[in-house]
């Protein structure tokens, strides 16, 4: 977080052969007054799967490229600049560039938010959507519901309390999208979901070059790379923004219910860790039998400078040692173990869980006492354990002033 915004992201691989989503969140330094977050979900490629395609995901490349093209150093971009940046990123994906593979595999949907705190304390935001992802903007947990307003009273097609804005995924079945697809020589199937030429279920994306003719402009293609951009101002402090992929929205009860859950939690615990909240939402998806890759980003337009040094964390890692029935991890399928290791390494974590000896959290980076027998997530936990640990510690006898970092990957 920074002085204007706090946020967190959570992701898990699910039952797919690979995890092809990518997250990019930029808060700048703790005193910054603006922030950007991108959720990029991939399709049509198995990251880290057979064939060695781990570095050629459209989602991975696009997340980095969008951060470069839409730097907040020049202030919040308008819709024209955002669309221009997406066209440039799509061109980079097709042609390749410095350190980028040419014609990357598959395609990617994008949800993004660029936000800035104004001098009067209000917020201005650009919400960006491309493809089958969705994002919502909701009222602050402290904002009272207007008397007499209810979801039942809301006109069709409008947002009901506490929602300010909800985007819809780009479907080939919508009239405007269908017209463009057919004008480009494509067909929209009658299946559920509708698909372009019987294949792609999203009508806008980065990549997916088999559906794009280099001689046509983006808005003339079967698959358009230009996003919808929503420009909002005068947003109140505490407002919430939630970005998530298709698998998340397919199983959750709806945007209003998701926003209500987050608002209720923060109303009870205003300083709650948004990372814990995001992870809780994904666990809800699992309980609802979701098997796809899941990613969610939560942002709150509020002072997050106190979270500027928060560390990445893996929760529920007990399953890496054994399944829910206590069976040995060695009984897991070899492919499951391989994908687990790829996921851990992609997130910068060691191959084996090494939780804190005090609070049992597993963050990155962890630190280990010089005696190599105790592991801690923070100096606070190390100091708390020193009175007991000093009797068995074989390192030089002195109060802990530091510790050695745990290697990020097991050789």
């Amino acid at each position: 977080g920074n002085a204007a915004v706090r946020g967190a992201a959570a992701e898990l691989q699910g039952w797919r052969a690979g995890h092809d989503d990518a997250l990019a969140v930029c808060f700048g330094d703790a005193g910054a007054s603006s922030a950007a977050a991108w959720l990029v979900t991939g399709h049509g490629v198995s990251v880290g799967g057979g064939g060695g395609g781990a570095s050629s995901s459209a989602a991975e490349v696009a997340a980095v490229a969008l951060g470069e093209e839409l730097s907040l150093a020049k202030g919040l971009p308008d819709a024209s600049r955002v669309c221009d940046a997406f066209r440039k990123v799509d061109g980079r994906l097709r042609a390749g560039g410095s350190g980028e593979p040419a014609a990357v595999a598959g395609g990617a949907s994008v949800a993004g938010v660029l936000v800035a705190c104004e001098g009067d304390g209000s917020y201005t935001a650009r919400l960006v959507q491309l493809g089958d992802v969705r994002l919502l903007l909701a009222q602050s947990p402290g904002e009272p519901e207007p008397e007499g307003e209810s979801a039942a009273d809301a006109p069709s097609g409008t947002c009901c309390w506490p929602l300010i804005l909800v985007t819809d995924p780009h479907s080939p079945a919508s009239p405007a999208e269908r017209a463009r697809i057919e004008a480009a020589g494509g067909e929209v199937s009658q299946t559920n979901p509708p698909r372009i030429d019987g294949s792609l279920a999203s009508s806008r994306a980065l990549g997916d070059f088999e559906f794009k003719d280099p001689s046509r402009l983006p808005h003339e293609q079967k698959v358009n790379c230009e996003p919808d951009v929503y420009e909002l101002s005068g947003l109140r402090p505490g407002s919430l923004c939630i970005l998530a992929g298709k698998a998340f929205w397919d199983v959750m009860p709806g945007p209003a219910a998701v926003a209500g859950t987050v608002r209720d939690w923060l109303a009870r615990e205003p300083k709650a860790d948004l990372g814990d909240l995001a992870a809780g939402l994904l666990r809800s998806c699992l309980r609802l039998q979701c098997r796809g890759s899941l990613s969610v980003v939560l942002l709150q337009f509020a002072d997050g400078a106190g979270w500027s040094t928060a560390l990445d964390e893996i929760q529920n890692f007990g399953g890496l040692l054994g399944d829910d029935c206590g069976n040995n991890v060695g009984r897991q399928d070899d492919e499951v173990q391989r994908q687990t290791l790829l996921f851990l390494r992609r997130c910068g974590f060691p191959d084996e869980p090494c939780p804190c000896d005090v609070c049992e959290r597993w963050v990155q980076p962890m630190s280990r006492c010089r005696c190599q027998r105790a592991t801690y997530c923070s100096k606070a936990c190390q100091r708390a354990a020193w009175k007991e640990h000093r009797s068995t510690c074989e390192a030089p006898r002195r109060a802990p002033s530091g510790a050695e970092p745990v290697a990020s990957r097991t050789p």
Side-chain angles (χ1 to χ4, degrees), residues 76-77 113-116 118 123-127 137 229-235 301:
L76 285 184
V113 57
L114 304 107
V115 58
E118 305 295 349
Y123 286 79
T124 300
R126 307 285 186 262
L127 304 185
L137 187 65
V229 183
Y230 304 84
E231 301 180 338
L232 300 98
S233 60
L235 298 170
F301 302 167

Side-chain angles (χ1 to χ4, degrees), residues 19 38 67 77 117 195 209 220 266 299 307:
H19 185 75
W38 299 101
C117 183
R195 297 180 182 274
F209 295 115
E220 298 173 339
L266 291 175
L299 293 178
W307 297 92

Side-chain angles (χ1 to χ4, degrees), residues 36 38 65-77 81 114:
W38 299 101
L66 285 169
E68 295 171 350
E69 296 289 347
L70 289 169
S71 169
L72 295 178
K74 299 179 181 179
L76 285 184
R81 183 179 153 205
L114 304 107

